[in-house]
Amino acid sequence: MTGRRFAEIRAQGRGALVGYLPVGYPDVPISLAAMRALTGEGDAPGVDLVEIGMPYSDPVMDGATIQKAGTRALQRGVRTADVFAAVGAVAATGTPAVVMIYWNLVERYGADAFARDLKNAGGAGLITPDLTPDEAQEWFEASDAHGLDRIFLVSPSSTDDRLARTVSSCRGWVYATSLMGVTGTRTQTSSLAPALVRRIRTLDPEAMVGVGLGVSNGAQAREVAEFADAVIVGSALLNPLLTADDAGRPEDLSGLRTVVADLAAGVRSGTSLASQGLSGS
Amino acid sequence: MPAVSLPDATGHFDRFGGKFVPEALYAALQQLEEAFVAANADPAFKTELDELLADYTGRPSPVTEARRFSEHAGGATILLKREDLNHTGSHKINNVLGQALLTRRMGKTRVIAETGAGQHGVATATAAALFGLECRVYMGKVDTERQALNVARMRLLGAEVIAVDSGTQTLKDAMNDAMRDWVASVDNTHYLIGSVAGPHPFPMIVREFQRVISTEARAQVLARYGRLPDAVAACVGGGSNALGIFADFIPDTEVGLYGFEAGGEGVDTGRHAATISAGEVGVLHGMRTFVLQNADGQTSESHSISAGLDYPGVGPEHAWLAKTGRASYEPITDSEAMDAFRLLTETEGIMPAIESAHAVAGALKLGRRLTEQGVEKPLILVNLSGRGDKDVDTAIEWFHVDTHGDSSTGAAQ
Ligand SMILES: Cc1ncc(COP(=O)(O)O)c(C=O)c1O
């Protein structure tokens, strides 16, 4: 379902924007307000898909920014079940939501129960940073039973065999990590990403591909949107929330709104290769 | 090396183990497994490793009968497998030398490692010096403070030591940071994991490089006593010294295998690291195993006086050995371990690492229990995984040792 949304946006001649924020930071109510702010308010454009992160004690795919927010969120008492409230809040805006979560939390909740509650809250699917198709039997079953998207990650280091298997295991879209590294903003976009997206498209011309890791501003989002279906941004959105929290104004979302506006303008300013029919579909 | 029956081809010990890692690491895990399999089939590799173990590490390590100490063990005879006498002071070097050779075979020039007590970090920094590899060691900030001597040793050996201040600032967080480094550096870097933990193939590889402990010890005990021990005991952090001394005894079903976990201030206080005794099945650091975790699956903070056992997970093969009943796991509290540390030091002149003191304490209890159960003169083989030099500061504090020159007695207790 999120894949269809990306395709519609591509047909409009631009790349989709995916915005990540963790639930529970700076606290649960403000994080929900921040996610609503991501979706755009009034006439202001926002993200096309919200990626709701669930804080975890051992987030091996995350860099310092997301770790810091996650640690504080856990200290302030965020629980797995808060994810469903966040999903509901985003879904109510009409913008779809997926959840990004480390596997132990899902397993602990029960894969099927998690899928059921995610679906009931209006969620569209799951991104699993430390679960690959190799270990995902339970998740295949639960996501099939509840009609949820399964978004697995691929990497520049993925072999052709693994790439083929992962792409065919995904439903919705494929999360291409643009570089060898963890989350966090970078000053330059990755040179490895275009080749990875090309490899995916060669395997499956219909695959929808989101590219994430390291995108920090509208200009970079524009660059990525020229070769991918979607641009995923996380740390750059979180930074203004950390700044506001540190300044004693955790409820201040103005910095976040500025970053969202820049990113949303970025994906709208390019000439998407996809819209010119060069993406292979 | 003997045929390896488990893990299966996908790295599982029944339901335990596996590979729960970001896709970015798959290629490296595959490369490592291939390099290991190829090395195992290459006699030149085995020759080179055996030479290093003999000429550099000082293997075989002896088995010492602890006569005076055994008087406290209820009639049992306690045998110590002296991994404390290895170069760098613990069993960790066995695995490190093997993986350092694999690093070279893979054409990588940099190694990273996590360390708790610092023993694995010191061993890795040592091998890096020997092989001319770049080396970075991640160590929880709390652990850098309680094992400052080892931080200095690593730095003198030319390694970069990163004090990890995320999360609980102990071993598990050091492992997280090492994984993050590896995701970004996998092209030229080998992550030299120090225990039988993490994603496949690490639990298998580390076990095979530590197997030498039981291969030697089994032959040494047979030669000297004409029979196998009744029980084999080891401390369990991630579980590498324990699997090292268990491995060759696993088919000897008449030999009891006992793992002693860090009971900290007592399992009922919640301040402990007794993962198998008190944890639940979950996923941590790339493996399905027992994990100390809360109702949501967030990893709990572990506690132990010994940094090397202060880990909320455990190697998946131990989870499997526990489930099948082949091995038994019990907690030993901080104070039981420190009492054993003192007793072994005073009766044998052997100062164990506090980690190893957990195994020594466990063997004392086991000796009394086996005797009560009617086993005649039980023979208990204990893996003395390391020496206590690094722990002298902790012992000074614990026992209020008088460190002033004008005192005639060792302790004020
Ligand atoms: C002497 C010694 N024994 C045991 C351990 C625990 O590790 P493992 O359970 O992998 O043997 C350590 C770890 O630092 C150690 O230094």
Side-chain angles (χ1 to χ4, degrees), chain B residues 96-115:
Chain B
V96 165
L97 289 173
Q99 286 198 50
L101 287 177
L102 290 181
T103 305
R104 207 175 57 190
R105 281 175 83 98
M106 292 186 289
K108 295 186 171 183
T109 55
R110 177 174 178 263
V111 288
I112 53 173
E114 84 294 338
T115 198

Side-chain angles (χ1 to χ4, degrees), chain B residues 30-149:
Chain B
Q30 187 66 39
Q31 179 194 28
L32 176 61
E33 187 171 353
E34 285 164 11
F36 175 71
V37 170
N40 247 348
D42 178 358
F45 177 83
K46 182 153 172 44
T47 305
E48 189 171 9
L49 181 56
D50 285 350
E51 276 171 15
L52 278 169
L53 290 177
D55 304 341
Y56 191 70
T57 307
R59 301 206 72 89
S61 65
V63 167
T64 302
E65 184 175 322
R67 292 199 179 81
R68 275 174 28 84
F69 180 79
S70 293
E71 288 168 16
H72 301 264
T77 301
I78 307 287
L79 308 177
L80 305 173
K81 177 62 174 166
R82 302 292 306 279
E83 294 300 301
D84 61 316
L85 295 178
N86 293 340
H87 179 46
T88 71
S90 80
H91 71 292
K92 297 284 182 187
I93 191 78
N94 304 329
N95 162 53
V96 165
L97 289 173
Q99 286 198 50
L101 287 177
L102 290 181
T103 305
R104 207 175 57 190
R105 281 175 83 98
M106 292 186 289
K108 295 186 171 183
T109 55
R110 177 174 178 263
V111 288
I112 53 173
E114 84 294 338
T115 198
Q119 288 303 100
H120 175 60
V122 166
T124 304
T126 298
L130 179 66
F131 286 87
L133 300 166
E134 204 187 318
C135 177
R136 176 186 281 183
V137 178
Y138 290 93
M139 188 168 185
K141 198 162 174 293
V142 169
D143 293 338
T144 60
E145 284 154 17
R146 58 180 162 175
Q147 307 275 240
L149 177 73

Side-chain angles (χ1 to χ4, degrees), chain B residues 78-301:
Chain B
I78 307 287
L79 308 177
L80 305 173
K81 177 62 174 166
R82 302 292 306 279
E83 294 300 301
D84 61 316
L85 295 178
N86 293 340
H87 179 46
T88 71
S90 80
H91 71 292
K92 297 284 182 187
I93 191 78
N94 304 329
N95 162 53
V96 165
L97 289 173
Q99 286 198 50
L101 287 177
L102 290 181
T103 305
R104 207 175 57 190
R105 281 175 83 98
M106 292 186 289
K108 295 186 171 183
T109 55
R110 177 174 178 263
V111 288
I112 53 173
E114 84 294 338
T115 198
Q119 288 303 100
H120 175 60
V122 166
T124 304
T126 298
L130 179 66
F131 286 87
L133 300 166
E134 204 187 318
C135 177
R136 176 186 281 183
V137 178
Y138 290 93
M139 188 168 185
K141 198 162 174 293
V142 169
D143 293 338
T144 60
E145 284 154 17
R146 58 180 162 175
Q147 307 275 240
L149 177 73
N150 274 344
V151 175
R153 288 169 79 194
M154 289 184 269
R155 290 193 171 137
L156 288 169
L157 286 160
E160 184 189 357
V161 180
I162 307 282
V164 174
D165 63 3
S166 62
T168 57
Q169 311 188 353
T170 57
L171 183 53
K172 92 174 171 69
D173 307 285
M175 202 150 172
N176 290 339
D177 262 17
M179 291 243 193
R180 292 182 189 114
D181 181 317
W182 204 30
V183 172
S185 64
V186 64
D187 273 352
N188 74 339
T189 298
H190 175 57
Y191 177 15
L192 213 162
I193 290 188
S195 194
V196 286
H200 178 67
F202 284 105
M204 172 180 79
I205 290 180
V206 178
R207 175 193 67 196
E208 290 310 309
F209 286 143
Q210 293 293 2
R211 182 184 290 274
V212 62
I213 302 173
S214 56
T215 305
E216 286 175 8
R218 192 174 180 283
Q220 287 164 320
V221 174
L222 269 179
R224 194 178 320 159
Y225 300 91
R227 67 174 183 107
L228 292 174
D230 297 288
V232 174
C235 66
V236 180
S240 67
N241 88 86
L243 265 180
I245 199 152
F246 288 176
D248 272 9
F249 289 105
I250 290 175
D252 301 318
T253 47
E254 70 274 27
V255 178
L257 304 177
Y258 295 87
F260 293 99
E261 305 191 298
E265 295 171 15
V267 169
D268 50 357
T269 67
R271 292 178 57 81
H272 62 85
T275 311
I276 296 178
S277 309
E280 287 167 277
V281 176
V283 171
L284 175 66
H285 292 149
M287 55 183 165
R288 177 173 282 117
T289 185
F290 287 101
V291 180
L292 297 179
Q293 53 184 319
N294 72 12
D296 275 4
Q298 305 285 354
T299 311
S300 310
E301 200 172 334

